[in-house]
Amino acid sequence: MTQYADIFNQEMMNTLFPKDRTDQFFEALFGDAEEGSYDISLSYAGDKEDTVHFELQLHQRPGCCLACNLTYGLPQVFSRHPIINIQSIAEKVGEAVGKSENVSWQLGSTQEKSRQLHVIPLVVRLS
């Protein structure tokens, strides 16, 4: 069942994770946003009871390689990085559904969907 599908539409995804956050991340990491080999976006992947599932999608940039060795360590990096700010995303998810108390989150392991797309599961618990 997807009780929150109407809430987590594309407009809300862009609010939770703005498109310019990728460039900010690479600017902080490398000193130049153009050095990044992928763009990051957030996608709603469903919900069940008080758990909402998302994916941080890593889309290969033109002329770049989305190599596994670049993306497999990212859950640990993203979990701590202040620009990615997973805690803030989780809190805003809780606010959006009216359950902002006791929000927790967990990032899963990087999954290779294709050579051009890798995803990192994000689970937000609302209880």
Side-chain angles (χ1 to χ4, degrees):
M1 182 175 166
T2 55
Q3 60 185 331
Y4 301 129
D6 290 342
I7 295 172
F8 297 113
N9 56 31
Q10 190 57 52
E11 182 180 341
M12 176 61 88
M13 295 298 94
N14 293 340
T15 299
L16 291 171
F17 198 93
K19 292 180 186 265
D20 66 342
R21 195 169 293 177
T22 298
D23 286 344
Q24 293 172 8
F25 174 70
F26 286 122
E27 181 74 31
L29 201 61
F30 299 127
D32 184 356
E34 298 300 313
E35 293 294 317
S37 60
Y38 51 85
D39 290 307
I40 309 165
S41 63
L42 184 67
S43 176
Y44 170 74
D47 59 79
K48 184 176 181 182
E49 298 172 6
D50 283 342
T51 304
V52 188
H53 299 267
F54 297 93
E55 292 179 339
L56 286 163
Q57 298 182 339
L58 313 174
H59 300 271
Q60 179 177 292
R61 288 183 173 176
C64 294
C65 178
L66 191 60
C68 296
N69 63 340
L70 293 176
T71 65
Y72 278 25
L74 285 176
Q76 294 81 10
V77 173
F78 284 2
S79 70
R80 298 185 309 269
H81 205 283
I83 290 174
I84 300 299
N85 201 352
I86 300 295
Q87 181 64 37
S88 175
I89 293 170
E91 290 169 0
K92 289 176 184 174
V93 167
E95 290 170 12
V97 300
K99 297 183 179 185
S100 57
E101 294 183 27
N102 300 320
V103 173
S104 63
W105 56 269
Q106 180 178 6
L107 288 176
S109 299
T110 304
Q111 302 169 3
E112 184 177 351
K113 298 288 184 171
S114 71
R115 293 185 66 156
Q116 295 81 26
L117 174 66
H118 292 190
V119 301
I120 300 171
L122 167 60
V123 176
V124 177
R125 290 183 185 81
L126 305 169
S127 57

mmCIF file of all heavy atoms in Angstrom, residues 59-110:
data_model
loop_
_atom_site.group_PDB
_atom_site.id
_atom_site.type_symbol
_atom_site.label_atom_id
_atom_site.label_comp_id
_atom_site.label_asym_id
_atom_site.label_seq_id
_atom_site.Cartn_x
_atom_site.Cartn_y
_atom_site.Cartn_z
ATOM 1 N N HIS A 59 22.748 9.363 -11.189
ATOM 2 C CA HIS A 59 22.657 9.318 -12.649
ATOM 3 C C HIS A 59 23.991 9.733 -13.251
ATOM 4 O O HIS A 59 24.475 10.837 -12.980
ATOM 5 C CB HIS A 59 21.558 10.257 -13.154
ATOM 6 C CG HIS A 59 20.196 9.926 -12.642
ATOM 7 N ND1 HIS A 59 19.360 9.061 -13.290
ATOM 8 C CD2 HIS A 59 19.541 10.332 -11.526
ATOM 9 C CE1 HIS A 59 18.234 8.952 -12.602
ATOM 10 N NE2 HIS A 59 18.309 9.706 -11.529
ATOM 11 N N GLN A 60 24.541 8.873 -14.065
ATOM 12 C CA GLN A 60 25.831 9.154 -14.712
ATOM 13 C C GLN A 60 25.749 10.426 -15.540
ATOM 14 O O GLN A 60 24.793 10.626 -16.295
ATOM 15 C CB GLN A 60 26.199 7.971 -15.605
ATOM 16 C CG GLN A 60 27.498 8.142 -16.360
ATOM 17 C CD GLN A 60 27.810 6.893 -17.149
ATOM 18 O OE1 GLN A 60 28.093 5.868 -16.585
ATOM 19 N NE2 GLN A 60 27.725 7.000 -18.471
ATOM 20 N N ARG A 61 26.748 11.275 -15.402
ATOM 21 C CA ARG A 61 26.825 12.479 -16.222
ATOM 22 C C ARG A 61 27.422 12.123 -17.581
ATOM 23 O O ARG A 61 28.235 11.200 -17.681
ATOM 24 C CB ARG A 61 27.697 13.535 -15.544
ATOM 25 C CG ARG A 61 27.028 14.172 -14.332
ATOM 26 C CD ARG A 61 27.875 15.252 -13.726
ATOM 27 N NE ARG A 61 27.136 15.956 -12.678
ATOM 28 C CZ ARG A 61 27.655 16.900 -11.908
ATOM 29 N NH1 ARG A 61 28.925 17.260 -12.066
ATOM 30 N NH2 ARG A 61 26.933 17.483 -10.991
ATOM 31 N N PRO A 62 27.034 12.856 -18.632
ATOM 32 C CA PRO A 62 27.568 12.581 -19.971
ATOM 33 C C PRO A 62 29.103 12.617 -19.974
ATOM 34 O O PRO A 62 29.714 13.510 -19.393
ATOM 35 C CB PRO A 62 26.994 13.711 -20.828
ATOM 36 C CG PRO A 62 25.766 14.155 -20.097
ATOM 37 C CD PRO A 62 26.076 13.962 -18.633
ATOM 38 N N GLY A 63 29.683 11.629 -20.615
ATOM 39 C CA GLY A 63 31.127 11.554 -20.740
ATOM 40 C C GLY A 63 31.848 11.077 -19.494
ATOM 41 O O GLY A 63 33.073 11.077 -19.445
ATOM 42 N N CYS A 64 31.100 10.681 -18.487
ATOM 43 C CA CYS A 64 31.691 10.215 -17.232
ATOM 44 C C CYS A 64 31.373 8.735 -17.033
ATOM 45 O O CYS A 64 30.518 8.183 -17.691
ATOM 46 C CB CYS A 64 31.150 11.005 -16.047
ATOM 47 S SG CYS A 64 31.614 12.737 -16.057
ATOM 48 N N CYS A 65 32.087 8.136 -16.090
ATOM 49 C CA CYS A 65 31.870 6.730 -15.775
ATOM 50 C C CYS A 65 31.302 6.626 -14.370
ATOM 51 O O CYS A 65 31.843 7.211 -13.431
ATOM 52 C CB CYS A 65 33.192 5.971 -15.865
ATOM 53 S SG CYS A 65 33.022 4.232 -15.437
ATOM 54 N N LEU A 66 30.215 5.898 -14.246
ATOM 55 C CA LEU A 66 29.599 5.659 -12.944
ATOM 56 C C LEU A 66 30.129 4.327 -12.427
ATOM 57 O O LEU A 66 29.434 3.332 -12.367
ATOM 58 C CB LEU A 66 28.079 5.642 -13.080
ATOM 59 C CG LEU A 66 27.258 5.664 -11.809
ATOM 60 C CD1 LEU A 66 27.556 6.918 -10.992
ATOM 61 C CD2 LEU A 66 25.780 5.638 -12.149
ATOM 62 N N ALA A 67 31.395 4.324 -12.054
ATOM 63 C CA ALA A 67 32.069 3.087 -11.641
ATOM 64 C C ALA A 67 31.647 2.687 -10.237
ATOM 65 O O ALA A 67 31.440 3.533 -9.370
ATOM 66 C CB ALA A 67 33.578 3.276 -11.686
ATOM 67 N N CYS A 68 31.526 1.387 -10.050
ATOM 68 C CA CYS A 68 31.118 0.864 -8.749
ATOM 69 C C CYS A 68 32.039 1.331 -7.633
ATOM 70 O O CYS A 68 31.591 1.613 -6.531
ATOM 71 C CB CYS A 68 31.092 -0.663 -8.776
ATOM 72 S SG CYS A 68 29.878 -1.322 -9.917
ATOM 73 N N ASN A 69 33.318 1.426 -7.920
ATOM 74 C CA ASN A 69 34.250 1.837 -6.864
ATOM 75 C C ASN A 69 34.012 3.280 -6.438
ATOM 76 O O ASN A 69 34.423 3.689 -5.367
ATOM 77 C CB ASN A 69 35.710 1.627 -7.288
ATOM 78 C CG ASN A 69 36.107 2.478 -8.476
ATOM 79 O OD1 ASN A 69 35.261 2.943 -9.225
ATOM 80 N ND2 ASN A 69 37.392 2.653 -8.663
ATOM 81 N N LEU A 70 33.320 4.061 -7.253
ATOM 82 C CA LEU A 70 32.978 5.431 -6.877
ATOM 83 C C LEU A 70 31.714 5.480 -6.037
ATOM 84 O O LEU A 70 31.530 6.401 -5.252
ATOM 85 C CB LEU A 70 32.740 6.296 -8.126
ATOM 86 C CG LEU A 70 33.917 6.599 -9.022
ATOM 87 C CD1 LEU A 70 33.448 7.373 -10.247
ATOM 88 C CD2 LEU A 70 34.959 7.396 -8.259
ATOM 89 N N THR A 71 30.830 4.514 -6.200
ATOM 90 C CA THR A 71 29.511 4.623 -5.578
ATOM 91 C C THR A 71 29.293 3.691 -4.387
ATOM 92 O O THR A 71 28.420 3.940 -3.578
ATOM 93 C CB THR A 71 28.396 4.369 -6.610
ATOM 94 O OG1 THR A 71 28.455 3.025 -7.077
ATOM 95 C CG2 THR A 71 28.500 5.334 -7.773
ATOM 96 N N TYR A 72 30.067 2.622 -4.266
ATOM 97 C CA TYR A 72 29.782 1.652 -3.208
ATOM 98 C C TYR A 72 30.072 2.172 -1.811
ATOM 99 O O TYR A 72 29.459 1.744 -0.857
ATOM 100 C CB TYR A 72 30.498 0.329 -3.480
ATOM 101 C CG TYR A 72 29.744 -0.530 -4.462
ATOM 102 C CD1 TYR A 72 28.874 0.027 -5.386
ATOM 103 C CD2 TYR A 72 29.882 -1.903 -4.477
ATOM 104 C CE1 TYR A 72 28.176 -0.736 -6.291
ATOM 105 C CE2 TYR A 72 29.184 -2.690 -5.387
ATOM 106 C CZ TYR A 72 28.329 -2.095 -6.286
ATOM 107 O OH TYR A 72 27.624 -2.861 -7.174
ATOM 108 N N GLY A 73 30.972 3.115 -1.648
ATOM 109 C CA GLY A 73 31.253 3.693 -0.341
ATOM 110 C C GLY A 73 30.376 4.890 0.003
ATOM 111 O O GLY A 73 30.483 5.451 1.091
ATOM 112 N N LEU A 74 29.492 5.270 -0.909
ATOM 113 C CA LEU A 74 28.704 6.482 -0.707
ATOM 114 C C LEU A 74 27.705 6.427 0.448
ATOM 115 O O LEU A 74 27.476 7.455 1.078
ATOM 116 C CB LEU A 74 27.986 6.874 -1.993
ATOM 117 C CG LEU A 74 28.887 7.504 -3.044
ATOM 118 C CD1 LEU A 74 28.105 7.765 -4.325
ATOM 119 C CD2 LEU A 74 29.520 8.786 -2.537
ATOM 120 N N PRO A 75 27.079 5.288 0.765
ATOM 121 C CA PRO A 75 26.157 5.321 1.911
ATOM 122 C C PRO A 75 26.817 5.858 3.183
ATOM 123 O O PRO A 75 26.216 6.668 3.903
ATOM 124 C CB PRO A 75 25.717 3.861 2.059
ATOM 125 C CG PRO A 75 25.790 3.323 0.663
ATOM 126 C CD PRO A 75 27.014 3.996 0.070
ATOM 127 N N GLN A 76 28.051 5.470 3.441
ATOM 128 C CA GLN A 76 28.750 5.971 4.623
ATOM 129 C C GLN A 76 29.050 7.460 4.501
ATOM 130 O O GLN A 76 28.930 8.217 5.461
ATOM 131 C CB GLN A 76 30.056 5.186 4.853
ATOM 132 C CG GLN A 76 29.849 3.734 5.217
ATOM 133 C CD GLN A 76 29.579 2.839 4.000
ATOM 134 O OE1 GLN A 76 29.718 3.252 2.854
ATOM 135 N NE2 GLN A 76 29.185 1.608 4.263
ATOM 136 N N VAL A 77 29.427 7.895 3.305
ATOM 137 C CA VAL A 77 29.720 9.319 3.070
ATOM 138 C C VAL A 77 28.437 10.135 3.194
ATOM 139 O O VAL A 77 28.388 11.147 3.904
ATOM 140 C CB VAL A 77 30.359 9.530 1.680
ATOM 141 C CG1 VAL A 77 30.499 11.010 1.355
ATOM 142 C CG2 VAL A 77 31.710 8.828 1.608
ATOM 143 N N PHE A 78 27.384 9.705 2.512
ATOM 144 C CA PHE A 78 26.120 10.445 2.533
ATOM 145 C C PHE A 78 25.530 10.509 3.939
ATOM 146 O O PHE A 78 24.891 11.493 4.295
ATOM 147 C CB PHE A 78 25.108 9.809 1.583
ATOM 148 C CG PHE A 78 25.344 10.093 0.122
ATOM 149 C CD1 PHE A 78 26.428 10.834 -0.324
ATOM 150 C CD2 PHE A 78 24.469 9.603 -0.825
ATOM 151 C CE1 PHE A 78 26.637 11.091 -1.668
ATOM 152 C CE2 PHE A 78 24.654 9.852 -2.175
ATOM 153 C CZ PHE A 78 25.732 10.597 -2.596
ATOM 154 N N SER A 79 25.708 9.458 4.725
ATOM 155 C CA SER A 79 25.109 9.434 6.061
ATOM 156 C C SER A 79 25.694 10.516 6.968
ATOM 157 O O SER A 79 25.042 10.939 7.921
ATOM 158 C CB SER A 79 25.265 8.058 6.704
ATOM 159 O OG SER A 79 26.615 7.806 7.033
ATOM 160 N N ARG A 80 26.896 10.989 6.662
ATOM 161 C CA ARG A 80 27.570 11.975 7.511
ATOM 162 C C ARG A 80 27.714 13.355 6.861
ATOM 163 O O ARG A 80 28.062 14.312 7.539
ATOM 164 C CB ARG A 80 28.974 11.488 7.871
ATOM 165 C CG ARG A 80 29.024 10.226 8.663
ATOM 166 C CD ARG A 80 30.447 9.875 9.077
ATOM 167 N NE ARG A 80 31.421 9.884 8.007
ATOM 168 C CZ ARG A 80 31.747 8.837 7.259
ATOM 169 N NH1 ARG A 80 31.159 7.676 7.456
ATOM 170 N NH2 ARG A 80 32.663 8.932 6.318
ATOM 171 N N HIS A 81 27.505 13.448 5.577
ATOM 172 C CA HIS A 81 27.838 14.686 4.873
ATOM 173 C C HIS A 81 26.789 15.777 5.130
ATOM 174 O O HIS A 81 25.599 15.573 4.897
ATOM 175 C CB HIS A 81 27.979 14.440 3.374
ATOM 176 C CG HIS A 81 28.850 15.454 2.728
ATOM 177 N ND1 HIS A 81 28.403 16.727 2.448
ATOM 178 C CD2 HIS A 81 30.152 15.408 2.359
ATOM 179 C CE1 HIS A 81 29.387 17.410 1.900
ATOM 180 N NE2 HIS A 81 30.463 16.646 1.847
ATOM 181 N N PRO A 82 27.228 16.962 5.576
ATOM 182 C CA PRO A 82 26.273 18.024 5.909
ATOM 183 C C PRO A 82 25.511 18.594 4.715
ATOM 184 O O PRO A 82 24.401 19.102 4.891
ATOM 185 C CB PRO A 82 27.148 19.103 6.563
ATOM 186 C CG PRO A 82 28.542 18.824 6.090
ATOM 187 C CD PRO A 82 28.617 17.344 5.844
ATOM 188 N N ILE A 83 26.049 18.518 3.520
ATOM 189 C CA ILE A 83 25.317 19.024 2.352
ATOM 190 C C ILE A 83 24.223 18.038 1.938
ATOM 191 O O ILE A 83 23.108 18.441 1.626
ATOM 192 C CB ILE A 83 26.278 19.337 1.188
ATOM 193 C CG1 ILE A 83 27.117 20.557 1.557
ATOM 194 C CG2 ILE A 83 25.508 19.576 -0.118
ATOM 195 C CD1 ILE A 83 28.208 20.904 0.581
ATOM 196 N N ILE A 84 24.513 16.763 1.967
ATOM 197 C CA ILE A 84 23.500 15.756 1.642
ATOM 198 C C ILE A 84 22.423 15.766 2.733
ATOM 199 O O ILE A 84 21.235 15.722 2.443
ATOM 200 C CB ILE A 84 24.133 14.355 1.494
ATOM 201 C CG1 ILE A 84 25.195 14.363 0.374
ATOM 202 C CG2 ILE A 84 23.068 13.294 1.242
ATOM 203 C CD1 ILE A 84 24.675 14.721 -1.000
ATOM 204 N N ASN A 85 22.822 15.814 3.990
ATOM 205 C CA ASN A 85 21.955 16.033 5.151
ATOM 206 C C ASN A 85 20.731 15.106 5.189
ATOM 207 O O ASN A 85 19.585 15.577 5.134
ATOM 208 C CB ASN A 85 21.536 17.506 5.215
ATOM 209 C CG ASN A 85 21.092 17.912 6.604
ATOM 210 O OD1 ASN A 85 20.948 17.081 7.500
ATOM 211 N ND2 ASN A 85 20.861 19.197 6.769
ATOM 212 N N ILE A 86 21.000 13.829 5.313
ATOM 213 C CA ILE A 86 19.935 12.826 5.364
ATOM 214 C C ILE A 86 19.003 13.070 6.552
ATOM 215 O O ILE A 86 17.790 12.895 6.436
ATOM 216 C CB ILE A 86 20.521 11.393 5.422
ATOM 217 C CG1 ILE A 86 21.392 11.107 4.190
ATOM 218 C CG2 ILE A 86 19.412 10.361 5.550
ATOM 219 C CD1 ILE A 86 20.670 11.085 2.877
ATOM 220 N N GLN A 87 19.550 13.491 7.676
ATOM 221 C CA GLN A 87 18.706 13.748 8.850
ATOM 222 C C GLN A 87 17.636 14.794 8.539
ATOM 223 O O GLN A 87 16.472 14.617 8.898
ATOM 224 C CB GLN A 87 19.557 14.197 10.045
ATOM 225 C CG GLN A 87 18.750 14.459 11.307
ATOM 226 C CD GLN A 87 18.053 13.236 11.868
ATOM 227 O OE1 GLN A 87 18.599 12.140 11.824
ATOM 228 N NE2 GLN A 87 16.853 13.417 12.379
ATOM 229 N N SER A 88 18.003 15.852 7.861
ATOM 230 C CA SER A 88 17.044 16.892 7.499
ATOM 231 C C SER A 88 15.981 16.357 6.540
ATOM 232 O O SER A 88 14.796 16.678 6.676
ATOM 233 C CB SER A 88 17.763 18.081 6.864
ATOM 234 O OG SER A 88 16.842 19.043 6.417
ATOM 235 N N ILE A 89 16.398 15.537 5.589
ATOM 236 C CA ILE A 89 15.431 14.928 4.667
ATOM 237 C C ILE A 89 14.428 14.107 5.454
ATOM 238 O O ILE A 89 13.212 14.225 5.259
ATOM 239 C CB ILE A 89 16.146 14.054 3.611
ATOM 240 C CG1 ILE A 89 16.989 14.919 2.679
ATOM 241 C CG2 ILE A 89 15.130 13.226 2.811
ATOM 242 C CD1 ILE A 89 17.913 14.138 1.754
ATOM 243 N N ALA A 90 14.909 13.280 6.372
ATOM 244 C CA ALA A 90 14.026 12.423 7.174
ATOM 245 C C ALA A 90 13.060 13.265 8.006
ATOM 246 O O ALA A 90 11.863 12.951 8.099
ATOM 247 C CB ALA A 90 14.852 11.500 8.062
ATOM 248 N N GLU A 91 13.551 14.330 8.605
ATOM 249 C CA GLU A 91 12.688 15.201 9.402
ATOM 250 C C GLU A 91 11.608 15.847 8.554
ATOM 251 O O GLU A 91 10.450 15.950 8.961
ATOM 252 C CB GLU A 91 13.530 16.266 10.108
ATOM 253 C CG GLU A 91 14.400 15.688 11.215
ATOM 254 C CD GLU A 91 15.430 16.675 11.756
ATOM 255 O OE1 GLU A 91 15.489 17.834 11.269
ATOM 256 O OE2 GLU A 91 16.187 16.275 12.661
ATOM 257 N N LYS A 92 11.969 16.280 7.346
ATOM 258 C CA LYS A 92 10.991 16.892 6.448
ATOM 259 C C LYS A 92 9.967 15.871 5.959
ATOM 260 O O LYS A 92 8.796 16.210 5.745
ATOM 261 C CB LYS A 92 11.696 17.558 5.270
ATOM 262 C CG LYS A 92 12.444 18.809 5.684
ATOM 263 C CD LYS A 92 13.218 19.410 4.535
ATOM 264 C CE LYS A 92 14.025 20.606 5.001
ATOM 265 N NZ LYS A 92 14.896 21.125 3.945
ATOM 266 N N VAL A 93 10.374 14.619 5.786
ATOM 267 C CA VAL A 93 9.430 13.550 5.436
ATOM 268 C C VAL A 93 8.419 13.402 6.561
ATOM 269 O O VAL A 93 7.210 13.325 6.324
ATOM 270 C CB VAL A 93 10.174 12.216 5.167
ATOM 271 C CG1 VAL A 93 9.210 11.035 5.122
ATOM 272 C CG2 VAL A 93 10.963 12.308 3.868
ATOM 273 N N GLY A 94 8.905 13.356 7.797
ATOM 274 C CA GLY A 94 8.008 13.258 8.948
ATOM 275 C C GLY A 94 7.031 14.417 9.015
ATOM 276 O O GLY A 94 5.829 14.225 9.255
ATOM 277 N N GLU A 95 7.518 15.632 8.791
ATOM 278 C CA GLU A 95 6.659 16.815 8.793
ATOM 279 C C GLU A 95 5.601 16.724 7.706
ATOM 280 O O GLU A 95 4.436 17.081 7.918
ATOM 281 C CB GLU A 95 7.493 18.077 8.603
ATOM 282 C CG GLU A 95 8.371 18.423 9.781
ATOM 283 C CD GLU A 95 9.374 19.528 9.479
ATOM 284 O OE1 GLU A 95 9.255 20.193 8.419
ATOM 285 O OE2 GLU A 95 10.293 19.719 10.300
ATOM 286 N N ALA A 96 5.988 16.245 6.531
ATOM 287 C CA ALA A 96 5.068 16.179 5.386
ATOM 288 C C ALA A 96 3.892 15.252 5.642
ATOM 289 O O ALA A 96 2.806 15.465 5.109
ATOM 290 C CB ALA A 96 5.824 15.735 4.129
ATOM 291 N N VAL A 97 4.100 14.229 6.458
ATOM 292 C CA VAL A 97 3.015 13.275 6.735
ATOM 293 C C VAL A 97 2.417 13.464 8.124
ATOM 294 O O VAL A 97 1.598 12.667 8.564
ATOM 295 C CB VAL A 97 3.471 11.808 6.530
ATOM 296 C CG1 VAL A 97 3.929 11.587 5.103
ATOM 297 C CG2 VAL A 97 4.553 11.413 7.518
ATOM 298 N N GLY A 98 2.850 14.515 8.828
ATOM 299 C CA GLY A 98 2.295 14.816 10.138
ATOM 300 C C GLY A 98 2.776 13.904 11.252
ATOM 301 O O GLY A 98 2.089 13.719 12.253
ATOM 302 N N LYS A 99 3.956 13.321 11.080
ATOM 303 C CA LYS A 99 4.521 12.428 12.097
ATOM 304 C C LYS A 99 5.980 12.806 12.324
ATOM 305 O O LYS A 99 6.893 12.043 12.036
ATOM 306 C CB LYS A 99 4.425 10.972 11.651
ATOM 307 C CG LYS A 99 3.002 10.488 11.470
ATOM 308 C CD LYS A 99 2.971 9.020 11.091
ATOM 309 C CE LYS A 99 1.548 8.549 10.926
ATOM 310 N NZ LYS A 99 1.480 7.113 10.674
ATOM 311 N N SER A 100 6.196 13.998 12.846
ATOM 312 C CA SER A 100 7.559 14.515 12.937
ATOM 313 C C SER A 100 8.314 14.075 14.194
ATOM 314 O O SER A 100 9.501 14.341 14.316
ATOM 315 C CB SER A 100 7.548 16.035 12.832
ATOM 316 O OG SER A 100 6.725 16.586 13.833
ATOM 317 N N GLU A 101 7.658 13.399 15.115
ATOM 318 C CA GLU A 101 8.349 12.927 16.318
ATOM 319 C C GLU A 101 8.932 11.539 16.086
ATOM 320 O O GLU A 101 8.344 10.713 15.391
ATOM 321 C CB GLU A 101 7.381 12.888 17.497
ATOM 322 C CG GLU A 101 6.895 14.272 17.902
ATOM 323 C CD GLU A 101 5.987 14.233 19.111
ATOM 324 O OE1 GLU A 101 6.106 13.310 19.927
ATOM 325 O OE2 GLU A 101 5.157 15.144 19.217
ATOM 326 N N ASN A 102 10.088 11.294 16.671
ATOM 327 C CA ASN A 102 10.741 9.977 16.617
ATOM 328 C C ASN A 102 11.022 9.484 15.200
ATOM 329 O O ASN A 102 10.825 8.320 14.881
ATOM 330 C CB ASN A 102 9.913 8.931 17.368
ATOM 331 C CG ASN A 102 9.734 9.295 18.826
ATOM 332 O OD1 ASN A 102 10.664 9.787 19.464
ATOM 333 N ND2 ASN A 102 8.546 9.076 19.348
ATOM 334 N N VAL A 103 11.464 10.381 14.337
ATOM 335 C CA VAL A 103 11.825 10.009 12.968
ATOM 336 C C VAL A 103 13.255 9.455 12.975
ATOM 337 O O VAL A 103 14.151 10.021 13.576
ATOM 338 C CB VAL A 103 11.738 11.231 12.021
ATOM 339 C CG1 VAL A 103 12.268 10.893 10.645
ATOM 340 C CG2 VAL A 103 10.311 11.734 11.943
ATOM 341 N N SER A 104 13.437 8.324 12.314
ATOM 342 C CA SER A 104 14.775 7.753 12.159
ATOM 343 C C SER A 104 14.958 7.345 10.703
ATOM 344 O O SER A 104 13.983 7.268 9.948
ATOM 345 C CB SER A 104 14.983 6.558 13.091
ATOM 346 O OG SER A 104 14.082 5.513 12.775
ATOM 347 N N TRP A 105 16.190 7.073 10.323
ATOM 348 C CA TRP A 105 16.470 6.724 8.930
ATOM 349 C C TRP A 105 17.633 5.766 8.852
ATOM 350 O O TRP A 105 18.415 5.632 9.792
ATOM 351 C CB TRP A 105 16.753 7.982 8.106
ATOM 352 C CG TRP A 105 17.879 8.811 8.653
ATOM 353 C CD1 TRP A 105 17.775 9.832 9.547
ATOM 354 C CD2 TRP A 105 19.275 8.680 8.362
ATOM 355 N NE1 TRP A 105 19.020 10.350 9.824
ATOM 356 C CE2 TRP A 105 19.956 9.649 9.121
ATOM 357 C CE3 TRP A 105 20.011 7.832 7.541
ATOM 358 C CZ2 TRP A 105 21.334 9.813 9.066
ATOM 359 C CZ3 TRP A 105 21.393 7.995 7.488
ATOM 360 C CH2 TRP A 105 22.039 8.963 8.240
ATOM 361 N N GLN A 106 17.724 5.122 7.694
ATOM 362 C CA GLN A 106 18.824 4.198 7.425
ATOM 363 C C GLN A 106 19.083 4.182 5.920
ATOM 364 O O GLN A 106 18.143 4.128 5.120
ATOM 365 C CB GLN A 106 18.466 2.800 7.903
ATOM 366 C CG GLN A 106 19.546 1.778 7.674
ATOM 367 C CD GLN A 106 19.152 0.406 8.213
ATOM 368 O OE1 GLN A 106 18.038 0.192 8.666
ATOM 369 N NE2 GLN A 106 20.072 -0.523 8.142
ATOM 370 N N LEU A 107 20.353 4.227 5.562
ATOM 371 C CA LEU A 107 20.749 4.088 4.162
ATOM 372 C C LEU A 107 21.158 2.644 3.919
ATOM 373 O O LEU A 107 21.868 2.052 4.738
ATOM 374 C CB LEU A 107 21.928 5.005 3.825
ATOM 375 C CG LEU A 107 21.636 6.496 3.735
ATOM 376 C CD1 LEU A 107 22.922 7.269 3.484
ATOM 377 C CD2 LEU A 107 20.625 6.786 2.643
ATOM 378 N N GLY A 108 20.713 2.080 2.800
ATOM 379 C CA GLY A 108 21.108 0.732 2.422
ATOM 380 C C GLY A 108 22.373 0.767 1.577
ATOM 381 O O GLY A 108 22.993 1.810 1.380
ATOM 382 N N SER A 109 22.735 -0.379 1.068
ATOM 383 C CA SER A 109 23.912 -0.511 0.215
ATOM 384 C C SER A 109 23.603 -0.048 -1.205
ATOM 385 O O SER A 109 22.479 -0.181 -1.686
ATOM 386 C CB SER A 109 24.370 -1.968 0.167
ATOM 387 O OG SER A 109 24.720 -2.406 1.455
ATOM 388 N N THR A 110 24.614 0.458 -1.868
ATOM 389 C CA THR A 110 24.480 0.895 -3.253
ATOM 390 C C THR A 110 24.082 -0.282 -4.139
ATOM 391 O O THR A 110 24.631 -1.372 -4.020
ATOM 392 C CB THR A 110 25.799 1.492 -3.762
ATOM 393 O OG1 THR A 110 26.185 2.556 -2.900
ATOM 394 C CG2 THR A 110 25.665 2.015 -5.180
#
